[in-house]
Amino acid sequence: MTKKLADARRYYVEQIKARAQVTSPRILQAYRNIPRELFLGEGPWRVRSDIVSAYGSTGSANPADIYHDVLVALDEQRKLDNGLPSLWALLFEALDLQTGENIVQIGCGTGYYSAILAEIVGESGHVTAIDSESGFAEQAEKLLADRDNVQVIHGDGCQLPFEPVDAIIVHAGVSHPYAAWLDALAMGGRLQFTMTTAGRQGIVFQITRKPLGFEAEALRRIEIFPCDEGDNKAEASLRLLFWNPITSGIKSLRRDQHEEDETCWAHTESFCLSRLAL
C-alpha cells in the first residue's frame, strides 16, 4: 500500500467517525481493514455526495480518490450506489452488533458492507449476504470467497426462511417489514429496515424482539433505493411523519388483530407500528 493510499484510508475513517459520531472501535477498525476499491470495479469511478444528486468522475483510477464519505455508483442509470459509509457506520452502531453474532444482510450488492459486517462480528460470527440481482451476488461471492464467516445467496431476501438470527439489516427501501424477517429474529434480535415512499424518501426503523413482543423505534430519515412496491396506507402515514419530529412516539410493532385507533401510526392487516409500549 502506498503512503498516499494509507493516508487516504486514515482520513476516510476519521471522516466517518466525525460525521456519524461513531464510537465503536470494532466498527472503525472494520472500515480501516476493508479495501473499498476491491468492491467497486476499476476506476475512474462515478461518485456523488449525499446532498448532491449529480454524479461526477474521480478523474483517475487511483484508489485513494474513493476514500471519502461519498456514494459510488454501482449502476448510475438506476442511481444505485454503494451506500454512504458514514450512514451505515451509524446504523451498524445502533444495532449494537456483538462478536459471534449471526447476521443476515439483505441487499448486499457487491459485498463491501458484507465484508465490514464480517469484521465486526469476527470469525466466531456469521454473515448471510443476500442479493436478488444475480450479477451482484456473483461478484460478492467471488470477492468474499476468502471469508469463511460469510455466505452469499442469490435470492429474494424478503421471502427466504432463516434460522433464528441476531440481526437482520436491509439495504433497500421497503413498504413494510416482512413476516419472514420478524419470524427469524431470536430473542433480543434486531431488525433494521427502511420504510420508503415512492420518491425513495424513507425512515429507518429498528425492531427488537422481546419476551412480550416487538419494540420499535424510528431512527432517522434517509433516501434509499427501493426494492418493492409501496403500500398506500403505510406510505400516507410515512409522508405525514416527514413533517413531524422523528421522536413520534412509536414504541412497538404489533402483529395482533385490532381496530385502528389513535395509537396506530401505520396500521395494516399484517402489522401496525404503534405508540403503545409493550
Side-chain angles (χ1 to χ4, degrees):
M1 186 189 304
T2 66
K3 183 178 184 302
K4 182 178 179 181
L5 182 55
D7 289 344
R9 281 192 181 182
R10 280 193 293 272
Y11 170 77
Y12 174 67
V13 174
E14 288 303 314
Q15 192 178 25
I16 290 168
K17 180 180 179 181
R19 289 197 73 186
Q21 296 294 296
V22 171
T23 60
S24 166
R26 285 184 298 114
I27 292 175
L28 295 172
Q29 189 60 48
Y31 274 88
R32 288 188 191 97
N33 291 349
I34 303 302
R36 192 182 192 194
E37 67 275 15
L38 181 66
F39 298 88
L40 297 175
E42 296 182 0
W45 297 273
R46 300 288 290 171
V47 301
R48 66 185 179 98
S49 77
D50 55 323
I51 57 174
V52 177
S53 60
Y55 290 95
S57 175
T58 58
S60 81
N62 186 337
D65 291 346
I66 52 168
Y67 281 97
H68 301 278
D69 190 31
V70 295
L71 296 156
V72 181
L74 297 178
D75 184 337
E76 184 175 352
Q77 186 173 2
R78 288 190 290 164
K79 212 170 185 179
L80 175 57
D81 303 312
N82 185 237
L84 189 69
S86 62
L87 170 65
W88 289 105
L90 182 152
L91 294 177
F92 294 160
E93 185 158 76
L95 279 166
D96 193 25
L97 299 171
Q98 300 297 311
T99 301
E101 287 196 314
N102 184 9
I103 309 299
V104 170
Q105 180 200 24
I106 297 170
C108 68
T110 57
Y112 176 58
Y113 292 106
S114 312
I116 286 176
L117 288 168
E119 290 276 321
I120 294 170
V121 300
E123 293 181 1
S124 60
H126 189 268
V127 177
T128 301
I130 304 169
D131 205 282
S132 61
E133 299 196 23
S134 59
F136 287 153
E138 288 170 7
Q139 289 181 68
E141 186 171 25
K142 179 180 178 180
L143 294 169
L144 298 165
D146 62 340
R147 295 184 173 272
D148 294 337
N149 64 340
V150 180
Q151 178 189 13
V152 179
I153 296 174
H154 170 225
D156 183 354
C158 297
Q159 305 295 340
L160 289 173
F162 310 115
E163 296 296 322
V165 296
D166 299 300
I168 299 173
I169 306 161
V170 185
H171 287 252
V174 294
S175 61
H176 62 284
Y178 283 79
W181 303 342
L182 297 169
D183 293 341
L185 290 179
M187 193 58 61
R190 293 86 68 205
L191 163 65
Q192 202 175 80
F193 71 100
T194 306
M195 278 178 62
T196 50
T197 65
R200 298 191 180 199
Q201 300 300 312
I203 294 174
V204 183
F205 291 94
Q206 187 156 303
I207 310 298
T208 304
R209 188 166 206 161
K210 300 285 187 176
L212 294 178
F214 296 92
E215 285 186 350
E217 180 184 6
L219 297 182
R220 60 172 293 153
R221 301 174 180 88
I222 67 171
E223 179 182 318
I224 193 168
F225 188 84
C227 75
D228 70 6
E229 295 297 326
D231 177 292
N232 290 335
K233 197 165 190 179
E235 184 174 310
S237 296
L238 194 63
R239 284 202 197 102
L240 287 175
L241 189 58
F242 274 98
W243 300 105
N244 295 318
I246 195 68
T247 53
S248 59
I250 295 170
K251 296 178 180 177
S252 64
L253 183 146
R254 299 178 61 179
R255 303 179 79 185
D256 61 305
Q257 295 296 315
H258 62 277
E259 294 294 324
E260 184 174 4
D261 60 28
E262 68 279 358
T263 67
C264 301
W265 177 74
H267 182 92
T268 73
E269 292 182 0
S270 59
F271 80 99
C272 174
L273 284 167
S274 172
R275 297 180 180 89
L276 282 179
L278 291 180

